[in-house]
Amino acid sequence: NAGVMQNPRHLVRRRGQEARLRCSPMKGHSHVYWYRQLPEEGLKFMVYLQKENIIDESGMPKERFSAEFPKEGPSILRIQQVVRGDSAAYFCASSPGTERGNEQFFGPGTRLTVL
Amino acid sequence: QKEVEQNSGPLSVPEGAIASLNCTYSDRVSQSFFWYRQYSGKSPELIMSIYSNGDKEDGRFTAQLNKASQYVSLLIRDSQPSDSATYLCAVNIRGSTLGRLYFGRGTQLTVWP
């Protein structure tokens, strides 16, 4: 499968627990983006990463949220001490870079439910 | 504030008709424009990208861009029930971090047989 991969597809957490969402970009892509989609709302940018670098985290809440894209392995979006308002679909997208106008391809998403 | 606005819909057209989806954006230095299709419960799927003024055609889809009017549209010819989905307009702003896309809230399209 050469597409963007995300896991888990569904994640249930109780308030106060931690959520870890993983994303493996398409083969040949070195740019990763995380977006969040709340019910009945549009996609909102959270963070843009390249290998070992956070390029833009302006869309990320200041507290409890962090992201990384290590030299080896998938990108991880981490949410500490989850609250009910964190329940959403979290999508990862990847692109090869700024060529072709930066077309981004999305993974299947992780649907987080906080009880 | 960079905003992307789409006609709210829902839009309902009969099978075989042309569906017209519209999008306006507020930032004049916007550079790249994309249309995504999202089926209910699924992830966005890129269907068209356009970077310069004019029309771009790909099969039954035509994207139209008018930077002077800050307007981009998507036409779907010979609409099929399988085209029923939410269509998202996305914009990449020159001058901002090159990566981030700004999305509209989407227009829900229903094609009835």
Side-chain angles (χ1 to χ4, degrees), chain A residues 97-113:
Chain A
T98 57
E99 313 86 66
R100 299 194 67 193
N102 195 37
E103 290 182 340
Q104 297 181 18
F105 299 89
F106 281 78
T110 295
R111 275 126 185 108
L112 172 66
T113 301

Side-chain angles (χ1 to χ4, degrees), chain A residues 33 35 37 40-43 45 48 55-56 58-59 91 98 100-109 111, chain B residues 32 34 36 38 40-46 48-49 51 56 88 92 97-106:
Chain A
Y33 316 85
Y35 293 86
Q37 190 171 41
E40 306 304 323
E41 291 193 16
L43 279 162
F45 168 81
Y48 164 31
I55 307 301
D56 180 2
S58 59
F91 293 102
T98 57
R100 299 194 67 193
N102 195 37
E103 290 182 340
Q104 297 181 18
F105 299 89
F106 281 78
R111 275 126 185 108
Chain B
S32 306
F34 307 92
Y36 287 84
Q38 187 175 26
S40 180
K42 302 296 185 182
S43 62
E45 174 191 6
L46 180 65
M48 288 288 283
S49 56
Y51 311 114
K56 179 182 178 183
L88 305 173
N92 184 216
T97 309
L98 289 172
R100 94 182 268 177
L101 293 180
Y102 294 82
F103 281 86
R105 295 189 65 169

Side-chain angles (χ1 to χ4, degrees), chain B residues 23 27 38 42 66 72-73 89 95:
Chain B
C23 175
D27 198 300
Q38 187 175 26
K42 302 296 185 182
N66 183 327
V72 57
S73 65
C89 174

Side-chain angles (χ1 to χ4, degrees), chain A residues 6-110:
Chain A
Q6 290 188 249
N7 67 80
R9 299 286 296 274
H10 299 274
L11 183 61
V12 179
R13 285 288 177 266
R14 297 191 180 279
R15 282 179 297 169
Q17 292 184 319
E18 178 179 288
R20 284 193 178 220
L21 289 61
R22 296 174 188 79
C23 168
S24 295
M26 286 178 70
K27 188 175 182 180
H29 287 191
S30 58
H31 298 243
V32 166
Y33 316 85
W34 287 93
Y35 293 86
R36 177 166 64 176
Q37 190 171 41
L38 292 165
E40 306 304 323
E41 291 193 16
L43 279 162
K44 301 294 185 186
F45 168 81
M46 299 182 74
V47 62
Y48 164 31
L49 310 104
Q50 296 179 27
K51 284 285 188 183
E52 301 184 278
N53 283 303
I54 296 175
I55 307 301
D56 180 2
E57 58 181 347
S58 59
M60 196 101 92
K62 292 288 187 281
E63 297 179 352
R64 303 188 297 109
F65 286 72
S66 62
E68 63 177 3
F69 190 12
K71 187 177 180 180
E72 301 290 339
S75 174
I76 295 176
L77 179 68
R78 181 183 179 202
I79 311 172
Q80 296 178 291
Q81 299 177 321
V82 296
V83 300
R84 288 215 173 107
D86 297 332
S87 295
Y90 291 82
F91 293 102
C92 169
S94 73
S95 75
T98 57
E99 313 86 66
R100 299 194 67 193
N102 195 37
E103 290 182 340
Q104 297 181 18
F105 299 89
F106 281 78
T110 295

